[in-house]
Amino acid sequence: MKKLINAPETVLDDALAGIAAAHPGLLSVDPVDRVITRAGGSRPGKVVLVSGGGSGHEPLHGGFVGTGMLDAACPGEVFTSPVPGQMLAAAKAVDGGAGTLFVVKNYTGDVLNFEMAAELAAEEGLSVETVLVDDDVAVQDSTWTAGRRGTGGTVFVEKIAGALAERGAPLAEVAGTARRVNAATRSFAVALTACTAPAAGKPGFDLPDDEIEVGVGIHGEPGRRREKLRPAREIVADMMAALLTDQPLTAGDQALVMVNGLGGTPLIELYVVYREVAAVLESRGVHIAANLVGDYVTSLDMAGVSITVCKAAPDLLDLWHAPVHTAALRWGM
Amino acid sequence: MDIALARTWVQAIAAAMDKHKDLLTQLDSAIGDADHGANMHRGFSAVAAELPRFEAKTAGGILARTGALLISVVGGASGPLYGTAFRSLGKALDAPRADPATFAEALAEGLDGVRRLGAAAEGDKTMIDAYAPALAAFRTSAASGGDLAEASAAAADAAEQGMRATVPMQARKGRASYLGARSVGHQDPGATSTALIFRALADTAAAAREAA
């Protein structure tokens, strides 16, 4: 394992110190509670968005803390959910008296810890709603699994709900919109290589040189199948078929599209993929209203790509275009 | 079970997690996300470090504090699940000493807590597949007059058997469930750490009987 770290045990604290040093005007870091909060605190009366999850997916979630998106993020150890105390500390640090929305990716650990945090927060008089993000269509048999995983769609949920909260909407409306975004969003990923967690020291799974994992999760969870590497056009066609089977988009629909690198993918390959995604949607008469191409929800050093498509109603698109200023997303201000 | 034994048990668990963290991580890389060893090790190391400062009047007090600390430092699914197991177990032990029958009922509270939180049943390929048979064996032994050492030894054997029985199962809960049929053929990491916890109890109880 070759990594630019000081020691596996200090990766998270060292990275948090780095984030704080890099973005002093944007966010601040509480190194004891391991909470990243928006600089200057929240405005009284504003609903606050708190998210979190295991580290290793940067810029998710800390890179999305700022105006128009998250008020606080709590990073856990690499690929490990944060703990309830962290989430409670985050919620209390940014509380504006108008309620808190927990944005939780659907993994057993995240769900259990955020549930406990919501109970603790309620005991302290905070009003909390939780939205579960579960956009990964690679998980087909939700009855016999922990359910669909939360992946790239988290960015859309956090951006759109964050914009609504910034406009002063009440908690129920922010939560309802967050759920609408999740319900309209689907993701699918393929991996070309496994990722290596610093504490594990070796790749999380064995993937032969000429094979790809189709439907991979953002922690290297296996997906639907393994197959031989093929031209990008054919791989994207299969990915889009999986997405569009689960949620058909038809002529005249507006879409938000993210082509997301999993951490070890050159940007040039992401653009190759985006071209194919755009061609598939255009052939169906779907209009791509906005797109993101880059690394937004990574899986450490995994080579691979996820495609996220949100069938976006006009009000959601309007919120998408609203100003945002975070370490990883910025426009309109 | 008394305060001193509860302390020794928790220390023995911490030693077992230290010794077997690579095994747990290796099992978890096969069907999970390769963090179970590191998480259990981090959690019980924190408990062992804080243990001298746990002030408790009952064995249950020690175990409940253990659970609360696990919840606050471990994260992942194992933090809430093991934390709840120890908290529920500890809360059910409110006397300074507990006979084996009483301890069996406390163990049952711990299992109930895990079932409620995790919504898992036997056969789902989780820690419950080691915990449930361990509890049944402990109860049977205690009911037929076994002392803590005997009941714990029976529980540890049953937990290890349950752990091995997870190999052919297909996971239906937790991260391993995403593998579907590909989870078959791998031993569940959570069942394995649960078996370590019961083996630590058996070793601790045996050593205490030896010393008495």
Side-chain angles (χ1 to χ4, degrees):
Chain A
M1 173 181 74
K2 281 197 279 190
K3 286 192 186 292
L4 286 170
I5 60 175
N6 296 313
E9 307 77 49
T10 65
V11 171
L12 178 53
D13 290 326
D14 291 350
L16 282 176
I19 290 168
H23 307 289
L26 213 51
L27 49 84
S28 54
V29 171
D30 174 344
V32 178
D33 281 323
R34 286 177 164 171
V35 169
I36 302 172
T37 52
R38 184 172 158 175
S42 277
R43 292 176 317 193
K46 177 188 172 297
V47 169
V48 293
L49 271 73
V50 175
S51 191
S55 294
H57 307 304
E58 292 69 25
L60 190 81
H61 295 273
F64 300 129
V65 170
T67 306
M69 216 162 163
L70 296 179
D71 294 275
C74 19
E77 296 287 336
V78 171
F79 290 176
T80 300
S81 154
V83 297
Q86 250 177 303
M87 299 158 182
L88 179 65
K92 286 165 74 173
V94 295
D95 180 43
T100 304
L101 182 68
F102 282 163
V103 181
V104 183
K105 301 193 296 304
N106 188 34
Y107 298 96
T108 308
D110 295 79
V111 171
L112 294 182
N113 282 282
F114 269 103
E115 259 175 34
M116 291 190 151
E119 282 171 27
L120 294 173
E123 281 168 22
E124 301 216 5
L126 299 181
S127 99
V128 177
E129 285 240 31
T130 297
V131 56
L132 280 184
V133 182
D134 60 347
D135 53 315
D136 185 359
V137 302
V139 182
Q140 288 170 293
D141 194 356
S142 294
T143 315
W144 300 107
T145 65
R148 283 182 170 180
R149 302 175 288 231
T151 59
T154 315
V155 178
F156 292 172
V157 172
E158 292 177 354
K159 167 67 186 82
I160 291 172
L164 188 58
E166 202 70 46
R167 289 180 182 173
L171 179 59
E173 194 183 332
V174 176
T177 298
R179 292 188 187 107
R180 269 180 65 210
V181 176
N182 179 58
T185 302
R186 303 287 188 278
S187 294
F188 195 91
V190 297
L192 278 56
T193 66
C195 56
T196 300
K202 47 182 192 289
F205 54 95
D206 297 316
L207 192 56
D209 267 353
D210 59 342
E211 287 186 18
I212 60 173
E213 180 81 39
V214 178
V216 74
I218 54 171
H219 312 89
E221 305 96 324
R224 293 184 176 184
R225 63 182 181 276
R226 278 185 183 183
E227 58 181 46
K228 295 286 181 201
L229 182 63
R230 292 179 293 149
R233 182 167 300 147
E234 295 174 24
I235 295 171
V236 172
D238 283 359
M239 295 172 78
M240 292 305 288
L243 291 170
L244 295 171
T245 302
D246 207 90
Q247 175 181 251
L249 272 77
T250 49
D253 281 340
Q254 301 275 322
L256 282 174
V257 173
M258 178 168 76
V259 168
N260 170 60
L262 294 176
T265 317
L267 189 53
I268 191 170
E269 294 178 28
L270 298 183
Y271 280 116
V272 169
V273 169
Y274 183 76
R275 181 215 175 178
E276 303 301 336
V277 171
V280 169
L281 290 175
E282 274 161 25
S283 74
R284 291 182 171 234
V286 175
H287 178 244
I288 299 178
N291 72 76
L292 291 177
V293 179
D295 285 8
Y296 295 97
V297 181
T298 59
S299 184
L300 293 170
D301 52 350
M302 187 185 285
V305 62
S306 67
I307 301 172
T308 301
V309 176
C310 173
K311 182 174 171 176
D315 62 322
L316 301 184
L317 282 179
D318 181 49
L319 290 162
W320 176 262
H321 290 299
V324 62
H325 188 186
T326 68
L329 274 193
R330 181 180 187 181
W331 56 74
M333 61 186 298
Chain B
M1 177 59 65
D2 58 25
I3 296 181
L5 200 60
R7 287 183 187 275
T8 327
W9 179 27
V10 170
Q11 275 162 348
I13 297 171
M17 294 306 162
D18 184 44
K19 188 173 167 194
H20 296 290
K21 60 177 187 288
D22 291 342
L23 167 71
L24 294 176
T25 291
Q26 185 195 324
L27 293 171
D28 196 30
S29 10
I31 56 171
D33 56 357
D35 65 357
H36 192 54
N39 289 347
M40 294 301 280
H41 180 246
R42 184 175 63 253
F44 278 98
S45 299
V47 172
E50 284 297 313
L51 195 57
R53 285 182 286 279
F54 283 2
E55 284 171 19
K57 296 188 172 61
T58 64
I62 298 287
L63 299 174
R65 289 288 302 276
T66 296
L69 193 54
L70 290 177
I71 291 171
S72 67
V73 300
V74 175
S78 42
L81 291 169
Y82 279 103
T84 297
F86 277 93
R87 256 165 56 94
S88 306
L89 162 62
K91 281 185 188 167
L93 288 176
D94 52 5
R97 300 177 63 88
D99 61 19
T102 310
F103 191 65
E105 290 329 297
L107 284 172
E109 289 294 322
L111 179 60
D112 281 349
V114 172
R115 280 192 208 277
R116 272 196 304 274
L117 190 63
E122 272 176 89
D124 285 347
K125 198 178 182 109
T126 71
M127 62 186 286
I128 288 174
D129 291 307
Y131 198 151
L135 170 63
F138 191 102
R139 265 189 177 141
T140 306
S141 171
S144 61
D147 65 9
L148 183 69
E150 286 159 358
S152 304
D157 290 346
E160 284 163 9
Q161 210 177 332
M163 164 191 94
R164 285 189 292 270
T166 62
V167 173
M169 291 176 186
Q170 176 169 335
R172 289 196 290 255
K173 291 284 170 187
R175 215 161 265 177
S177 68
Y178 302 128
L179 279 152
R182 286 154 81 184
S183 64
V184 171
H186 298 279
Q187 183 171 304
D188 181 61
T192 308
S193 52
T194 296
L196 290 173
I197 288 170
F198 278 101
R199 182 53 67 192
L201 176 64
D203 292 349
T204 307
R209 187 168 69 174
E210 193 97 341

